[in-house]
């Protein structure tokens, strides 16, 4: 039942993001949300989800807490397998590629960028009991 509710919530969030061009996506001026559309790793069917991000000099940083789930979220596993992804920020669409961060860079970005921006995110890592994956999205070459 819980997984079905999460999927339904994701569908509503994606619909709202598309319909309103990202307005009201987070409910807070301090939280930035983008929409990723990435081919499913098994089916190739495009899958969309809304995720938090932070803008850095290296690109857009995204992380896969899965609200504290014990496994990496599906969207992050799809992102790992994809060559590129469509990123929508507001009404703007960009073709981007993801680079998953490995240690020690992942820990540095997790601590110095993500947790510095919002220390409350750490509770999801504690609940999950796993290392939260972090990726940087950068423009895909044409």
């Amino acid at each position: 039942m819980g997984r079905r509710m999460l999927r339904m919530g994701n569908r509503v969030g994606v619909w709202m993001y598309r319909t309103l061009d990202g307005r009201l996506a987070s409910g807070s001026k301090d939280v930035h949300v983008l929409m990723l559309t990435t081919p499913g790793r098994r089916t190739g069917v495009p899958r969309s989800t809304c995720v938090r991000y932070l803008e850095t000099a290296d690109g857009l940083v995204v992380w896969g807490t899965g609200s504290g789930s014990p496994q990496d979220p599906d969207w992050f596993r799809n992102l790992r397998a994809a060559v590129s992804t469509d990123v929508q920020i507001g009404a703007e669409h960009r073709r981007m590629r993801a680079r998953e961060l490995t240690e020690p860079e992942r820990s540095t970005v997790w601590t110095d960028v993500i947790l510095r921006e919002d220390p409350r995110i750490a509770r999801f890592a504690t609940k999950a009991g796993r290392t939260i994956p972090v990726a940087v999205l950068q423009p895909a070459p044409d």
Side-chain angles (χ1 to χ4, degrees):
M1 180 77 165
R3 190 167 169 99
R4 190 173 355 166
M5 292 300 288
L6 282 173
R7 285 186 177 169
M8 186 181 306
N10 183 61
R11 282 189 215 119
V12 169
V14 166
W15 176 83
M16 284 182 60
Y17 200 101
R18 282 189 178 125
T19 302
L20 302 172
D21 285 334
R23 294 185 307 277
L24 308 176
S26 71
S28 169
K29 286 190 279 185
D30 299 329
V31 174
H32 304 286
V33 176
L34 59 76
M35 186 172 66
L36 288 173
T37 301
T38 307
R41 64 192 175 284
R42 292 185 306 238
T43 64
V45 173
R47 305 287 183 191
S48 297
T49 193
C50 297
V51 298
R52 281 186 73 173
Y53 76 96
L54 295 171
E55 198 159 347
T56 68
D58 293 330
L60 306 177
V61 174
V62 295
W63 55 94
T65 61
S67 298
S69 170
Q71 67 262 357
D72 293 344
D74 287 339
W75 71 263
F76 204 97
R77 291 190 278 173
N78 289 341
L79 191 63
R80 269 187 194 124
V83 174
S84 65
T85 185
D86 180 69
V87 174
Q88 181 179 345
I89 299 175
E92 180 186 344
H93 289 262
R94 307 177 195 173
R95 189 57 126 176
M96 303 191 93
R97 62 188 168 121
R99 179 176 64 87
E100 185 172 3
L101 303 183
T102 57
E103 297 301 341
E105 184 182 21
R106 191 218 70 89
S107 290
T108 301
V109 170
W110 177 253
T111 304
D112 297 347
V113 177
I114 297 168
L115 294 183
R116 180 175 288 153
E117 178 70 23
D118 188 352
R120 297 171 299 173
I121 295 171
R123 73 177 187 248
F124 296 118
T126 302
K127 181 180 174 187
R130 62 180 167 84
T131 301
I132 302 300
V134 178
V136 174
L137 303 173
Q138 300 168 320
D142 290 332

Short mmCIF file of all heavy atoms in Angstrom, two decimals, residues 1 9 16-17 21 42 45 48 52 62 74 84-85 89 91 109-110 116 127 129-130 141:
data_model
loop_
_atom_site.label_atom_id
_atom_site.label_comp_id
_atom_site.label_asym_id
_atom_site.label_seq_id
_atom_site.Cartn_x
_atom_site.Cartn_y
_atom_site.Cartn_z
N MET A 1 0.82 -1.20 0.00
CA MET A 1 0.00 0.00 0.00
C MET A 1 0.86 1.26 0.00
O MET A 1 0.57 2.21 -0.71
CB MET A 1 -0.93 -0.03 1.22
CG MET A 1 -1.81 1.17 1.33
SD MET A 1 -3.17 1.05 0.18
CE MET A 1 -4.23 2.28 0.81
N GLY A 9 1.43 9.72 -5.49
CA GLY A 9 1.91 11.05 -5.14
C GLY A 9 2.88 11.59 -6.17
O GLY A 9 2.85 12.77 -6.53
N MET A 16 1.43 18.21 -11.73
CA MET A 16 1.43 19.62 -11.29
C MET A 16 2.63 20.37 -11.84
O MET A 16 2.51 21.51 -12.28
CB MET A 16 1.42 19.70 -9.76
CG MET A 16 0.08 19.40 -9.15
SD MET A 16 0.08 19.57 -7.35
CE MET A 16 0.55 21.28 -7.17
N TYR A 17 3.81 19.73 -11.81
CA TYR A 17 5.02 20.39 -12.30
C TYR A 17 4.86 20.75 -13.77
O TYR A 17 5.15 21.86 -14.19
CB TYR A 17 6.25 19.50 -12.08
CG TYR A 17 7.55 20.28 -12.09
CD1 TYR A 17 8.17 20.61 -10.90
CD2 TYR A 17 8.14 20.70 -13.28
CE1 TYR A 17 9.36 21.32 -10.89
CE2 TYR A 17 9.32 21.42 -13.28
CZ TYR A 17 9.93 21.73 -12.09
OH TYR A 17 11.09 22.45 -12.09
N ASP A 21 4.39 24.55 -14.88
CA ASP A 21 5.79 24.88 -15.19
C ASP A 21 6.64 25.05 -13.94
O ASP A 21 7.45 25.96 -13.81
CB ASP A 21 5.88 26.14 -16.06
CG ASP A 21 5.48 25.87 -17.49
OD1 ASP A 21 5.62 24.71 -17.95
OD2 ASP A 21 5.02 26.80 -18.16
N ARG A 42 14.96 -0.89 -17.39
CA ARG A 42 14.57 -2.19 -17.95
C ARG A 42 13.67 -2.05 -19.17
O ARG A 42 13.80 -2.81 -20.12
CB ARG A 42 13.86 -3.02 -16.87
CG ARG A 42 14.78 -3.45 -15.74
CD ARG A 42 14.09 -4.37 -14.77
NE ARG A 42 12.86 -3.78 -14.27
CZ ARG A 42 12.59 -3.56 -13.00
NH1 ARG A 42 13.47 -3.89 -12.08
NH2 ARG A 42 11.45 -3.03 -12.62
N VAL A 45 10.98 2.93 -21.20
CA VAL A 45 9.85 3.87 -21.19
C VAL A 45 10.25 5.09 -20.36
O VAL A 45 10.77 4.94 -19.25
CB VAL A 45 8.60 3.19 -20.58
CG1 VAL A 45 7.47 4.17 -20.41
CG2 VAL A 45 8.19 2.00 -21.43
N SER A 48 9.20 10.00 -15.26
CA SER A 48 9.42 11.35 -14.73
C SER A 48 9.25 11.35 -13.23
O SER A 48 8.40 10.63 -12.68
CB SER A 48 8.44 12.34 -15.36
OG SER A 48 8.64 12.43 -16.74
N ARG A 52 14.58 17.29 -5.45
CA ARG A 52 15.29 18.49 -5.00
C ARG A 52 16.64 18.56 -5.68
O ARG A 52 17.23 17.54 -6.02
CB ARG A 52 15.52 18.44 -3.49
CG ARG A 52 14.32 18.82 -2.69
CD ARG A 52 14.65 18.90 -1.22
NE ARG A 52 15.46 20.09 -0.93
CZ ARG A 52 15.78 20.47 0.29
NH1 ARG A 52 15.40 19.76 1.34
NH2 ARG A 52 16.50 21.55 0.49
N VAL A 62 21.94 16.41 -7.34
CA VAL A 62 20.75 15.69 -6.90
C VAL A 62 21.18 14.52 -6.03
O VAL A 62 22.30 14.03 -6.17
CB VAL A 62 19.88 15.20 -8.09
CG1 VAL A 62 19.31 16.36 -8.87
CG2 VAL A 62 20.66 14.27 -9.00
N ASP A 74 14.13 4.28 -7.42
CA ASP A 74 14.11 3.86 -8.82
C ASP A 74 14.63 4.95 -9.74
O ASP A 74 15.37 4.67 -10.68
CB ASP A 74 12.69 3.47 -9.25
CG ASP A 74 12.26 2.14 -8.67
OD1 ASP A 74 13.14 1.35 -8.26
OD2 ASP A 74 11.04 1.89 -8.61
N SER A 84 21.62 9.99 -21.02
CA SER A 84 21.25 11.38 -20.75
C SER A 84 19.83 11.41 -20.19
O SER A 84 19.12 10.41 -20.21
CB SER A 84 21.34 12.23 -22.02
OG SER A 84 20.41 11.81 -22.98
N THR A 85 19.45 12.57 -19.71
CA THR A 85 18.13 12.75 -19.11
C THR A 85 17.60 14.12 -19.48
O THR A 85 18.38 15.05 -19.73
CB THR A 85 18.19 12.59 -17.57
OG1 THR A 85 16.89 12.66 -17.03
CG2 THR A 85 19.07 13.63 -16.93
N ILE A 89 13.36 22.65 -15.45
CA ILE A 89 13.38 23.59 -14.32
C ILE A 89 12.46 24.72 -14.72
O ILE A 89 12.75 25.46 -15.65
CB ILE A 89 14.80 24.10 -14.03
CG1 ILE A 89 15.71 22.92 -13.67
CG2 ILE A 89 14.76 25.14 -12.90
CD1 ILE A 89 17.16 23.29 -13.47
N ALA A 91 9.79 26.30 -16.74
CA ALA A 91 9.32 25.99 -18.09
C ALA A 91 10.46 25.57 -19.01
O ALA A 91 10.24 25.18 -20.14
CB ALA A 91 8.60 27.21 -18.68
N VAL A 109 30.67 16.52 -1.02
CA VAL A 109 29.47 17.21 -1.51
C VAL A 109 28.31 16.96 -0.54
O VAL A 109 27.54 17.89 -0.24
CB VAL A 109 29.12 16.77 -2.95
CG1 VAL A 109 27.76 17.28 -3.38
CG2 VAL A 109 30.20 17.25 -3.91
N TRP A 110 28.16 15.74 -0.04
CA TRP A 110 27.09 15.42 0.90
C TRP A 110 27.17 16.34 2.14
O TRP A 110 26.18 16.93 2.55
CB TRP A 110 27.17 13.95 1.31
CG TRP A 110 26.17 13.53 2.33
CD1 TRP A 110 26.40 13.25 3.65
CD2 TRP A 110 24.75 13.36 2.15
NE1 TRP A 110 25.23 12.91 4.28
CE2 TRP A 110 24.20 12.97 3.38
CE3 TRP A 110 23.91 13.49 1.05
CZ2 TRP A 110 22.85 12.72 3.56
CZ3 TRP A 110 22.55 13.24 1.21
CH2 TRP A 110 22.04 12.85 2.46
N ARG A 116 24.93 21.19 4.46
CA ARG A 116 25.08 22.60 4.83
C ARG A 116 23.82 23.38 4.44
O ARG A 116 23.38 24.26 5.15
CB ARG A 116 26.31 23.23 4.18
CG ARG A 116 26.47 24.70 4.58
CD ARG A 116 27.72 25.33 4.05
NE ARG A 116 28.84 24.77 4.79
CZ ARG A 116 30.07 24.65 4.31
NH1 ARG A 116 30.35 25.05 3.09
NH2 ARG A 116 31.04 24.17 5.04
N LYS A 127 17.76 6.94 8.63
CA LYS A 127 16.63 6.01 8.49
C LYS A 127 16.93 4.93 7.45
O LYS A 127 16.61 3.77 7.65
CB LYS A 127 15.38 6.79 8.10
CG LYS A 127 14.14 5.94 7.95
CD LYS A 127 12.93 6.79 7.56
CE LYS A 127 11.73 5.91 7.27
NZ LYS A 127 10.61 6.69 6.73
N GLY A 129 19.88 3.78 6.45
CA GLY A 129 20.96 2.88 6.82
C GLY A 129 21.85 2.52 5.65
O GLY A 129 22.43 1.43 5.60
N ARG A 130 21.96 3.40 4.68
CA ARG A 130 22.80 3.17 3.50
C ARG A 130 23.45 4.49 3.12
O ARG A 130 23.06 5.56 3.59
CB ARG A 130 21.97 2.65 2.32
CG ARG A 130 20.90 3.62 1.86
CD ARG A 130 20.08 3.09 0.68
NE ARG A 130 18.89 3.90 0.47
CZ ARG A 130 18.85 5.03 -0.21
NH1 ARG A 130 19.93 5.48 -0.81
NH2 ARG A 130 17.72 5.71 -0.33
N PRO A 141 26.51 16.82 -24.22
CA PRO A 141 27.02 17.31 -25.50
C PRO A 141 26.01 17.06 -26.60
O PRO A 141 25.26 16.08 -26.56
CB PRO A 141 28.30 16.48 -25.71
CG PRO A 141 28.27 15.38 -24.72
CD PRO A 141 27.26 15.71 -23.69
#
